[in-house]
Amino acid sequence: MHQVVQLLARGTAIVGGLVLVGLVILTTVSTVGRELGIGEVNGSYEILEAGVAFAIFSFFPVCQLYGAHATVDIFTSKLPGRLNRLIAAFWEVVLTAALILISWRLYEGMQRYIGNGETTFFLQFPVWWGYACSFAASVVTCIVAVYCAALRIRESLSGRDLLPTA
Amino acid sequence: MSNLELGFWSFPILLIMVLLRAPIGLAMLLCGFAGWYFAMGGNPNVLLNKLKSETYTQFSSYSLSIIPMFLLMGQFATLSGMSSALFKAAESFLGHRRGGVAMASVGACAGFGAICGSSLATAATMSKVALPELRRYGYSGGFSTATLAAGGTLGILIPPSVILVIYAILTEQNIAKLFLAAFVPGILAALGYMLTISLYVRLYPASAGTRPPQPMSERWAALAKTWPVLVIFGVVVGGIYLGWFTPTEGSAIGAAGTGLVAVLSGSLNWAVFRDSLLGTARTTAMIFFIVLGAGFYNSFLALSGVPQFMADWVLGRGFSPWFVLSIILIFYLIFGCLMDSLSMILLTVPIFFPVISAMDFGMSPEHVAIWFGILVLIVVEVGLITPPVGMNLFIINAMDRETPMTETYKAVMFFVGSDIVRVIILVLFPAITLFLLPG
Amino acid sequence: AQEVTLRLHQFLPPQANVPKLVLDVWADKVEEDSAGRIKVERYPSMQLGGKPPELMDQAIDGVADIVWTVVGYTPGRFPSTEVFELPFMMTNARAASRAYWEMFETHMKDTEFKDVHILGTWVHGPGLIHVNKEVRTPSDMEGLKIRGGSRLANALLEKVGATPVGMPVPAVPEGLSKGVLDGTTIPWEVTAALKIPELVDNHTEFTGNALYSLTFVLAMNKDRYDGLPDDLKQVIDDNSGVEFSVFAGGTQADSDGPAREAAAARGNNIVTLTEEETAVWKTAAQPIYDEWVAEMNEKGIDGQALIDEARMLIDKYTE
Ligand code: NA
Ligand code: NA
């Protein structure tokens, strides 16, 4: 189970990372082309915006899996391990709920743009395309988040660390 | 309860959640949710509708896309062998002096900061190269880790800088001008750290060893090997400043160039490349979750009218601008002991910036905004090395398990002192920050 | 005493022309006419979150109660409004805004804008070309890189052999200064803030019909409007509609004059094409009309009828 989730999270992040590298190349080629007078990739900023949104959404699963979110540990670190695990489990569950809420609303946002025919300004591709890619990545985030929340609860019940830390 | 009261109540609640170890982005998001919910009279519809587009909009941002690109650039820079080239060059010039290897570490950090937009990455990367060398030449554990933790902050103080990008977006300022303004204070920081080192080794002669000087020819040869850093920094920061391209384009070119150097250095195989993508992914998601939470929370604060109220209140009291500025900077120093810099900037700049920009410092509004940005950048960066919560301290201590944290805490206070002296100088003489700027 | 608070959200800073001269005036008037029972809270610069293209949805969803937005920010959603953005359609902002309101009421109110309560519809003053060489004929545009102000302005640029460049407005000065752009289309009003006359020396105006214009709306959340007590609804009604639209468009266009004078005072070359010279451009623009009508037909809208009606109304209201 753990290996499947890990593969899913890492695989998604790598796909997102490759998209990011692709955007780096696209933007570089476009910019260098323009400066050298060869001509730029006109409207590439709209691809960049949609692509980077997908990349960021696809980076969430690994962030979730490795517990990489920024926290302030100073006070809780003084607490006994049992209580500490309980607190971690609590926030993991709340975080998972928030991520599911975000994904659900993202889906509704996508539905709205499918329905209203809105396109981007310059390249005029449908806005919902960007939403759809991002939503797919955020579904993976939800799966990984639910898995992590379940493990954190088990950690707090069993008193053993199960998840990797950053 | 009025919206204003809601806004004020959200501060202690946010703080309690953060201190109870809630992910900071989540705490802000929850406060934003609750704020919009109650401000709409207990109706969740507005909140739910707002969420339909809020996340996608925050993430599909042309200007914020600089952040993953600079992070990727930092990852590639780590692999490209530039960090060790920089260290060797600095070490060959400074290594034979008393405390020289430590000074060289700071110098190399400054050089690495010129191609890396993040403090943590600079601290971690340079530590890999410099920590073993410092220990080899007999530098004490706490002094070594403290030096690298402080040196790491140069990653953000010297442009390019992720924090300055966020500040520029929050306050609608020109990123290129902020980068330019950060340059001299960044150099001052490096010089200040070197001065601190020479003071420290005089106070604690046992904490540092020496080695014989190297011939000049070897020094120049070592320096020559750092040319890719110079070229990339020149093209990225110079190009952004001269208007050849936008900061986003510059970050892409920087990432592409650094990636190319990494490929040519032969160290970029698939496993390494994959790890650099995963490293970028983790940090990017961490940052953007905070960006999302802060965006939501800040829209609620605007709705509640808190920033406007605070600005009116401070102005109504007739406080001197310098007094208000000092209070704000001290606030950052204190909270920097607890919170990470990005969260602090995202959380507080929307509240403090209207206050500062409404006051008369005898400068143009743009200059005030840039100067304040650099000051805030420095004080939040001090937070990275102030005990007890200093991200740079944690990172380096994790790489040097033998040195107890308390040793690092003791030695790093000297660098914190140097930071505070620098902040005072920059507050008293705004021209140091602003003289490079046109008009 | 205050009973109703309306949140007005928009994307410009408070000191810009439209917030200062149109929206604040409107909001103050509403507050005054309601004897203080309505308070209009003003949120400039997208303070309530989101990007400008989302303003319309924020009004529909109630994130804001009232928004001011550029209809063209959401391409594809309000296609009928584009009839006023067609090249060489508008003459002056007052006439076009009046025609826009009239056609909004007959054609768009219950269709494209059915989810929101519209308070005003207007266009900005005549859009023109600002460029680094003298432009008199469409062929002078050959090979120039120009930022077009609207989807249809971009289409026209392509027709005359120029390259439309996709770029947000704030990036225009930088684009012009480093030669990424040879020019831009924009009304005079905005040129001062963007320092256009200092960056390019030539401006080409047209006689009769203007090159292009953008359409704006002031939109209110529907439930919010419906939920107002009748007398406050009346206050809103009294301050919205055709007269407000003409005031808004007219006020915006009145800022064109001083900006044009400033360019002239710098010694810039302002070319005003004669009616005959403008006619050449209109001919070049004809394919845009045909394509637009075809696009509208695909959406089940009689584009030609909209064009004819808009022309008729604009002529009628142009003195
Ligand atoms: Na840097
Ligand atoms: Na700290």
Side-chain angles (χ1 to χ4, degrees):
Chain A
M1 180 68 185
H2 188 75
Q3 242 133 48
V4 174
V5 173
Q6 188 165 337
L7 199 70
L8 189 64
R10 289 167 62 105
T12 309
I14 289 166
V15 171
L18 291 173
V19 168
L20 181 65
V21 171
L23 296 172
V24 162
I25 294 170
L26 172 73
T27 309
T28 302
V29 166
S30 175
T31 309
V32 172
R34 184 189 68 215
E35 292 303 313
L36 297 180
I38 304 166
E40 62 186 308
V41 184
N42 206 349
S44 64
Y45 75 98
E46 290 181 350
I47 300 171
L48 173 67
E49 288 186 338
V52 86
F54 166 75
I56 293 166
F57 274 107
S58 65
F59 291 162
F60 272 81
V62 276
C63 182
Q64 208 59 23
L65 187 67
Y66 294 101
H69 288 293
T71 54
V72 169
D73 297 341
I74 164 147
F75 293 99
T76 50
S77 60
K78 306 264 188 313
L79 300 173
R82 182 79 192 258
L83 191 57
N84 229 327
R85 286 197 187 88
L86 198 70
I87 292 173
F90 172 76
W91 288 122
E92 196 81 30
V93 170
V94 177
L95 179 57
T96 303
L99 290 170
I100 292 173
L101 177 70
I102 285 170
S103 305
W104 167 46
R105 297 322 293 170
L106 188 66
Y107 176 77
E108 292 295 327
M110 179 182 77
Q111 290 295 336
R112 154 139 85 198
Y113 286 106
I114 292 176
N116 70 18
E118 187 171 327
T119 66
T120 64
F121 179 77
F122 196 81
L123 298 175
Q124 294 184 35
F125 63 83
V127 172
W128 73 264
W129 290 3
Y131 270 78
C133 298
S134 293
F135 174 69
S138 96
V139 169
V140 177
T141 306
C142 290
I143 295 169
V144 175
V146 168
Y147 170 78
C148 290
L151 275 201
R152 292 274 182 227
I153 292 171
R154 259 179 63 189
E155 277 181 349
S156 77
L157 295 179
S158 69
R160 282 186 308 119
D161 287 333
L162 300 167
L163 274 172
T165 45
Chain B
M1 202 186 292
S2 75
N3 285 356
L4 191 64
E5 288 169 310
L6 272 179
F8 277 108
W9 270 109
S10 70
F11 294 132
I13 292 170
L14 179 71
L15 199 65
I16 289 169
M17 282 200 279
V18 167
L19 293 181
L20 285 176
R21 211 180 162 277
I24 295 170
L26 179 68
M28 292 198 265
L29 198 62
L30 292 178
C31 281
F33 284 176
W36 273 94
Y37 176 79
F38 288 116
M40 295 295 114
N43 182 343
N45 287 337
V46 166
L47 168 68
L48 291 175
N49 285 328
K50 196 168 154 55
L51 264 179
K52 278 186 194 171
S53 51
E54 186 99 357
T55 38
Y56 184 79
T57 305
Q58 283 277 6
F59 295 171
S60 68
S61 157
Y62 181 76
S63 25
L64 283 176
S65 65
I66 294 177
I67 290 172
M69 291 190 180
F70 273 153
L71 290 173
L72 191 64
M73 174 168 160
Q75 288 282 346
F76 287 155
T78 308
L79 306 170
S80 60
M82 287 188 235
S83 49
S84 57
L86 280 166
F87 179 74
K88 274 185 196 132
E91 206 262 348
S92 71
F93 278 92
L94 295 166
H96 57 283
R97 293 163 185 275
R98 195 131 50 108
V101 184
M103 291 179 191
S105 308
V106 168
C109 282
F112 198 73
I115 49 166
C116 179
S118 130
S119 281
L120 301 186
T122 304
T125 308
M126 289 316 302
S127 294
K128 259 180 226 153
V129 182
L131 257 185
E133 297 290 311
L134 282 163
R135 304 313 303 275
R136 192 154 70 91
Y137 288 113
Y139 284 72
S140 74
F143 183 44
S144 306
T145 47
T147 299
L148 285 162
T153 65
L154 296 172
I156 285 241
L157 295 176
I158 291 180
S161 156
V162 168
I163 301 271
L164 275 186
V165 172
I166 297 265
Y167 179 85
I169 292 167
L170 283 174
T171 60
E172 298 179 345
Q173 294 301 315
N174 182 310
I175 293 178
K177 288 185 182 169
L178 276 162
F179 278 6
L180 194 69
F183 193 70
V184 173
I187 299 293
L188 279 184
L191 294 177
Y193 290 157
M194 291 191 190
L195 219 68
T196 308
I197 289 168
S198 71
L199 184 74
Y200 189 91
V201 294
R202 275 178 179 77
L203 287 174
Y204 305 99
S207 61
T210 47
R211 64 149 184 73
Q214 281 180 3
M216 274 323 255
S217 60
E218 276 182 39
R219 298 185 192 184
W220 292 115
L223 189 64
K225 284 192 183 137
T226 63
W227 69 268
V229 176
L230 218 63
V231 170
I232 291 172
F233 175 74
V235 169
V236 173
V237 175
I240 291 172
Y241 181 66
L242 292 173
W244 292 348
F245 33 75
T246 66
T248 302
E249 290 167 344
S251 67
I253 290 173
T258 320
L260 192 67
V261 174
V263 170
L264 294 179
S265 77
S267 46
L268 199 63
N269 58 40
W270 166 249
V272 170
F273 178 64
R274 183 195 61 201
D275 286 346
S276 60
L277 293 186
L278 288 172
T280 306
R282 249 190 259 181
T283 316
T284 302
M286 184 268 277
I287 291 178
F288 275 84
F289 192 59
I290 299 173
V291 167
L292 176 69
F296 217 93
Y297 183 57
N298 286 331
S299 73
F300 159 65
L301 282 184
L303 178 75
S304 75
V306 165
Q308 190 62 46
F309 179 87
M310 299 261 282
D312 292 346
W313 186 82
V314 171
L315 289 175
R317 291 274 149 150
F319 293 132
S320 127
W322 301 93
F323 172 75
V324 174
L325 178 69
S326 311
I327 295 290
I328 290 177
L329 294 179
I330 290 169
F331 168 90
Y332 276 116
L333 281 174
I334 293 170
F335 265 74
C337 297
L338 300 173
M339 254 171 117
D340 75 284
S341 26
L342 183 79
S343 313
M344 277 213 301
I345 293 263
L346 280 164
L347 193 60
T348 57
V349 164
I351 298 165
F352 292 155
F353 184 69
V355 176
I356 288 295
S357 45
M359 308 198 103
D360 182 13
F361 288 91
M363 292 180 253
S364 73
E366 189 192 28
H367 278 180
V368 171
I370 289 176
W371 174 60
F372 181 64
I374 302 301
L375 291 174
V376 169
L377 173 75
I378 296 170
V379 285
V380 298
E381 282 309 285
V382 178
L384 289 177
I385 57 168
T386 48
V389 179
M391 291 306 287
N392 279 13
L393 302 175
F394 293 165
I395 288 222
I396 291 162
N397 252 75
M399 300 173 76
D400 181 14
R401 297 280 184 201
E402 291 159 33
T403 306
M405 200 67 183
T406 48
E407 293 292 308
T408 310
Y409 281 173
K410 270 183 218 155
V412 87
M413 289 318 290
F414 284 80
F415 294 96
V416 173
S418 145
D419 280 335
I420 291 173
V421 170
R422 187 171 77 256
V423 170
I424 294 171
I425 291 173
L426 293 175
V427 167
L428 293 178
F429 305 102
I432 297 174
T433 311
L434 299 172
F435 82 98
L436 280 177
L437 297 181
Chain C
Q2 185 199 331
E3 289 169 28
V4 176
T5 308
L6 298 176
R7 301 184 305 279
L8 195 167
H9 198 207
Q10 53 88 18
F11 58 95
L12 287 182
Q15 65 278 9
N17 281 336
V18 172
K20 192 175 66 187
L21 303 175
V22 176
L23 302 177
D24 276 349
V25 172
W26 180 86
D28 291 345
K29 182 85 179 349
V30 165
E31 288 178 349
E32 196 187 308
D33 288 1
S34 71
R37 290 167 63 204
I38 296 178
K39 179 166 184 270
V40 182
E41 284 179 350
R42 296 148 219 200
Y43 297 94
S45 311
M46 299 305 296
Q47 277 181 355
L48 295 181
K51 282 191 205 167
E54 283 154 73
L55 282 165
M56 186 57 91
D57 285 328
Q58 292 184 340
I60 292 171
D61 292 339
V63 174
D65 298 314
I66 299 170
V67 303
W68 170 61
T69 185
V70 180
V71 180
Y73 280 165
T74 51
R77 281 181 63 180
F78 307 100
S80 301
T81 61
E82 277 189 340
V83 72
F84 291 100
E85 301 191 349
L86 281 164
F88 306 106
M89 178 58 80
M90 72 95 71
T91 49
N92 74 65
R94 287 188 169 82
S97 299
R98 192 178 286 278
Y100 179 13
W101 179 265
E102 205 164 313
M103 286 181 63
F104 157 75
E105 285 213 298
T106 46
H107 300 292
M108 306 172 209
K109 190 177 180 179
D110 301 318
T111 55
E112 291 161 25
F113 289 104
K114 66 178 176 348
D115 298 327
V116 70
H117 181 79
I118 297 291
L119 303 170
T121 60
W122 69 94
V123 301
H124 65 50
L128 65 154
I129 303 172
H130 314 266
V131 67
N132 58 11
K133 60 172 254 200
E134 186 173 288
V135 167
R136 288 194 163 268
T137 65
S139 57
D140 290 338
M141 299 286 284
E142 186 83 42
L144 297 181
K145 288 171 286 180
I146 311 279
R147 181 196 177 271
S150 71
R151 190 177 83 87
L152 294 167
N154 278 341
L156 176 66
L157 290 171
E158 233 161 36
K159 283 282 177 297
V160 298
T163 308
V165 176
M167 185 183 278
V169 179
V172 168
E174 207 183 334
L176 287 172
S177 69
K178 63 189 210 204
V180 173
L181 290 178
D182 295 308
T184 182
T185 67
I186 216 152
W188 278 115
E189 177 225 335
V190 197
T191 57
L194 297 177
K195 300 194 167 56
I196 304 278
E198 291 152 51
L199 295 164
V200 295
D201 295 332
N202 298 276
H203 312 267
T204 301
E205 297 177 320
F206 299 82
T207 295
N209 303 80
L211 178 69
Y212 83 104
S213 191
L214 285 184
T215 54
F216 303 97
V217 287
L218 187 69
M220 183 170 178
N221 176 269
K222 218 170 177 134
D223 292 340
R224 203 77 173 103
Y225 172 80
D226 291 338
L228 289 177
D230 284 344
D231 53 339
L232 292 184
K233 226 182 245 173
Q234 193 59 47
V235 170
I236 298 289
D237 291 347
D238 291 345
N239 284 288
S240 55
V242 66
E243 290 314 322
F244 167 64
S245 302
V246 173
F247 158 78
T251 305
Q252 206 172 339
D254 288 345
S255 307
D256 285 343
R260 185 183 189 279
E261 275 164 35
R266 277 194 91 256
N268 281 14
N269 174 28
I270 302 179
V271 178
T272 308
L273 300 183
T274 62
E275 215 151 308
E276 292 76 54
E277 286 171 313
T278 305
V280 181
W281 286 79
K282 284 188 184 174
T283 312
Q286 188 51 45
I288 313 274
Y289 279 72
D290 303 336
E291 286 163 21
W292 189 76
V293 168
E295 271 176 49
M296 289 301 112
N297 286 347
E298 268 175 46
K299 296 185 166 148
I301 298 169
D302 186 347
Q304 192 55 50
L306 288 177
I307 292 173
D308 295 342
E309 189 177 347
R311 279 211 170 116
M312 186 271 288
L313 288 172
I314 287 174
D315 286 346
K316 183 169 133 196
Y317 296 130
T318 304
E319 290 119 47

Coordinates of all heavy atoms in Angstrom, one line a residue, chain B residues 222-262:
Chain B
A222 N 41.6 29.1 -9.4 CA 40.4 28.7 -8.7 C 39.3 29.7 -9.0 O 38.1 29.3 -9.2 CB 40.7 28.6 -7.2
L223 N 39.6 31.0 -9.0 CA 38.6 32.0 -9.3 C 38.1 31.9 -10.7 O 36.8 32.0 -10.9 CB 39.2 33.4 -9.1 CG 38.2 34.6 -9.1 CD1 37.3 34.5 -7.9 CD2 39.0 35.9 -9.1
A224 N 38.9 31.5 -11.6 CA 38.5 31.5 -13.0 C 37.4 30.4 -13.2 O 36.6 30.5 -14.1 CB 39.7 31.2 -13.9
K225 N 37.5 29.4 -12.3 CA 36.5 28.3 -12.5 C 35.1 28.7 -12.0 O 34.2 27.9 -12.2 CB 37.0 27.1 -11.6 CG 38.1 26.3 -12.3 CD 38.4 25.0 -11.7 CE 39.6 24.3 -12.4 NZ 40.5 23.7 -11.4
T226 N 34.9 29.9 -11.5 CA 33.6 30.3 -11.0 C 32.9 31.1 -12.1 O 31.8 31.6 -11.9 CB 33.7 31.1 -9.8 OG1 34.4 32.3 -10.1 CG2 34.4 30.4 -8.6
W227 N 33.4 31.1 -13.3 CA 32.8 31.9 -14.3 C 31.3 31.6 -14.6 O 30.6 32.6 -14.9 CB 33.6 31.9 -15.6 CG 33.6 30.6 -16.4 CD1 34.5 29.6 -16.2 CD2 32.6 30.2 -17.3 NE1 34.2 28.5 -17.0 CE2 33.0 28.8 -17.7 CE3 31.5 30.7 -17.9 CZ2 32.3 28.1 -18.6 CZ3 30.8 30.0 -18.8 CH2 31.1 28.7 -19.1
P228 N 30.9 30.4 -14.6 CA 29.4 30.2 -14.9 C 28.5 31.0 -13.9 O 27.5 31.5 -14.3 CB 29.2 28.7 -14.7 CG 30.6 28.1 -14.8 CD 31.5 29.1 -14.3
V229 N 29.0 31.0 -12.6 CA 28.1 31.8 -11.7 C 28.0 33.2 -12.1 O 26.9 33.8 -12.1 CB 28.8 31.7 -10.3 CG1 28.0 32.5 -9.3 CG2 28.9 30.3 -9.8
L230 N 29.2 33.8 -12.5 CA 29.2 35.2 -12.9 C 28.3 35.4 -14.1 O 27.6 36.4 -14.2 CB 30.7 35.6 -13.2 CG 31.1 37.0 -12.7 CD1 31.0 37.1 -11.2 CD2 32.5 37.2 -13.2
V231 N 28.4 34.5 -15.1 CA 27.7 34.7 -16.3 C 26.2 34.6 -16.0 O 25.4 35.4 -16.4 CB 28.1 33.6 -17.3 CG1 27.1 33.6 -18.5 CG2 29.5 33.8 -17.8
I232 N 25.8 33.6 -15.2 CA 24.4 33.4 -15.0 C 23.8 34.6 -14.2 O 22.8 35.1 -14.5 CB 24.1 32.0 -14.3 CG1 24.4 30.9 -15.3 CG2 22.6 31.9 -13.8 CD1 24.4 29.5 -14.6
F233 N 24.5 35.0 -13.1 CA 24.1 36.1 -12.3 C 24.0 37.3 -13.2 O 23.0 38.1 -13.2 CB 25.0 36.3 -11.2 CG 24.7 37.6 -10.4 CD1 23.6 37.6 -9.5 CD2 25.4 38.7 -10.5 CE1 23.3 38.7 -8.8 CE2 25.1 39.9 -9.8 CZ 24.0 39.8 -8.9
G234 N 25.0 37.6 -14.0 CA 25.0 38.7 -14.9 C 23.8 38.8 -15.8 O 23.1 39.8 -16.0
V235 N 23.6 37.6 -16.5 CA 22.5 37.6 -17.5 C 21.2 37.7 -16.8 O 20.3 38.5 -17.2 CB 22.6 36.2 -18.3 CG1 21.3 36.1 -19.1 CG2 23.8 36.2 -19.1
V236 N 20.9 37.0 -15.7 CA 19.6 37.0 -15.0 C 19.3 38.3 -14.4 O 18.4 39.0 -14.8 CB 19.5 35.8 -14.0 CG1 18.2 35.9 -13.3 CG2 19.6 34.5 -14.7
V237 N 20.2 38.7 -13.4 CA 19.8 39.9 -12.7 C 20.1 41.2 -13.6 O 19.3 42.1 -13.7 CB 20.7 40.0 -11.4 CG1 20.4 41.3 -10.7 CG2 20.3 38.9 -10.5
G238 N 21.2 41.2 -14.4 CA 21.5 42.3 -15.3 C 20.4 42.4 -16.3 O 19.9 43.5 -16.6
G239 N 20.0 41.2 -16.9 CA 18.9 41.3 -17.9 C 17.6 41.7 -17.4 O 16.9 42.5 -18.1
I240 N 17.3 41.3 -16.2 CA 16.0 41.8 -15.6 C 16.1 43.3 -15.4 O 15.2 44.1 -15.8 CB 15.7 41.1 -14.3 CG1 15.4 39.6 -14.5 CG2 14.6 41.8 -13.5 CD1 15.3 38.8 -13.2
Y241 N 17.2 43.8 -14.9 CA 17.3 45.2 -14.6 C 17.4 46.0 -15.9 O 16.7 47.1 -15.9 CB 18.6 45.5 -13.7 CG 18.6 46.9 -13.4 CD1 17.6 47.5 -12.7 CD2 19.5 47.8 -14.0 CE1 17.5 48.8 -12.4 CE2 19.5 49.1 -13.8 CZ 18.5 49.7 -13.0 OH 18.4 51.0 -12.8
L242 N 18.1 45.6 -16.9 CA 18.2 46.4 -18.1 C 16.9 46.3 -18.9 O 16.8 46.9 -20.0 CB 19.4 45.9 -18.9 CG 20.8 46.2 -18.2 CD1 21.9 45.6 -19.0 CD2 21.0 47.7 -18.1
G243 N 16.0 45.5 -18.5 CA 14.7 45.4 -19.2 C 14.8 44.5 -20.5 O 14.0 44.6 -21.4
W244 N 15.8 43.6 -20.6 CA 15.8 42.7 -21.7 C 14.7 41.7 -21.6 O 14.1 41.3 -22.5 CB 17.1 41.9 -21.7 CG 18.3 42.7 -22.0 CD1 18.4 44.0 -22.5 CD2 19.7 42.3 -21.8 NE1 19.7 44.4 -22.6 CE2 20.5 43.3 -22.2 CE3 20.3 41.1 -21.4 CZ2 21.9 43.3 -22.2 CZ3 21.7 41.0 -21.4 CH2 22.5 42.1 -21.8
F245 N 14.3 41.4 -20.3 CA 13.2 40.5 -20.2 C 12.6 40.7 -18.8 O 13.1 41.4 -17.9 CB 13.6 39.0 -20.3 CG 15.0 38.7 -19.9 CD1 15.3 38.6 -18.5 CD2 16.0 38.5 -20.8 CE1 16.6 38.3 -18.1 CE2 17.3 38.2 -20.4 CZ 17.6 38.1 -19.0
T246 N 11.4 40.1 -18.6 CA 10.7 40.3 -17.4 C 11.3 39.4 -16.3 O 12.1 38.5 -16.7 CB 9.2 39.8 -17.5 OG1 9.2 38.4 -17.8 CG2 8.5 40.6 -18.6
P247 N 11.1 39.6 -15.0 CA 11.6 38.8 -14.0 C 11.2 37.3 -14.2 O 12.1 36.4 -14.0 CB 11.0 39.3 -12.7 CG 10.8 40.8 -13.0 CD 10.4 40.8 -14.5
T248 N 10.0 37.0 -14.7 CA 9.6 35.6 -14.9 C 10.5 35.0 -16.0 O 11.0 33.9 -15.9 CB 8.1 35.6 -15.3 OG1 7.4 36.2 -14.3 CG2 7.7 34.2 -15.5
E249 N 10.7 35.8 -17.1 CA 11.5 35.3 -18.2 C 13.0 35.1 -17.7 O 13.6 34.1 -18.0 CB 11.5 36.3 -19.3 CG 10.2 36.3 -20.1 CD 10.0 37.5 -21.0 OE1 10.8 38.4 -20.9 OE2 9.1 37.4 -21.9
G250 N 13.4 36.0 -16.8 CA 14.8 35.9 -16.3 C 14.9 34.7 -15.4 O 16.0 34.0 -15.5
S251 N 13.9 34.3 -14.6 CA 14.0 33.1 -13.8 C 14.0 31.9 -14.7 O 14.7 30.9 -14.4 CB 12.8 33.1 -12.8 OG 11.6 32.9 -13.5
A252 N 13.3 31.9 -15.8 CA 13.3 30.8 -16.7 C 14.7 30.6 -17.3 O 15.3 29.5 -17.4 CB 12.2 30.9 -17.8
I253 N 15.3 31.7 -17.8 CA 16.6 31.7 -18.4 C 17.6 31.2 -17.4 O 18.5 30.4 -17.7 CB 16.9 33.1 -19.0 CG1 16.1 33.4 -20.2 CG2 18.4 33.2 -19.3 CD1 16.2 34.8 -20.7
G254 N 17.5 31.7 -16.1 CA 18.4 31.3 -15.1 C 18.3 29.8 -14.9 O 19.4 29.1 -14.8
A255 N 17.1 29.3 -14.8 CA 16.9 27.8 -14.6 C 17.5 27.0 -15.7 O 18.2 26.0 -15.5 CB 15.5 27.5 -14.3
A256 N 17.2 27.5 -16.9 CA 17.7 26.8 -18.1 C 19.2 26.8 -18.2 O 19.9 25.8 -18.4 CB 17.1 27.4 -19.4
G257 N 19.8 28.0 -17.9 CA 21.3 28.1 -17.9 C 22.0 27.3 -16.9 O 22.9 26.6 -17.2
T258 N 21.4 27.3 -15.7 CA 22.0 26.5 -14.6 C 21.8 25.0 -14.9 O 22.7 24.2 -14.6 CB 21.3 26.8 -13.3 OG1 21.1 28.2 -13.2 CG2 22.2 26.5 -12.1
G259 N 20.7 24.7 -15.4 CA 20.5 23.3 -15.8 C 21.5 22.8 -16.9 O 22.1 21.7 -16.8
L260 N 21.8 23.7 -17.8 CA 22.8 23.4 -18.9 C 24.1 23.2 -18.3 O 24.9 22.2 -18.6 CB 22.8 24.6 -19.9 CG 23.5 24.3 -21.2 CD1 22.8 23.3 -22.0 CD2 23.7 25.6 -22.0
V261 N 24.5 24.1 -17.3 CA 25.8 23.9 -16.6 C 25.9 22.6 -15.9 O 26.9 21.9 -15.9 CB 26.1 25.1 -15.7 CG1 27.4 24.8 -14.9 CG2 26.2 26.4 -16.4
A262 N 24.7 22.2 -15.3 CA 24.7 21.0 -14.5 C 24.9 19.8 -15.5 O 25.6 18.8 -15.2 CB 23.4 20.8 -13.8

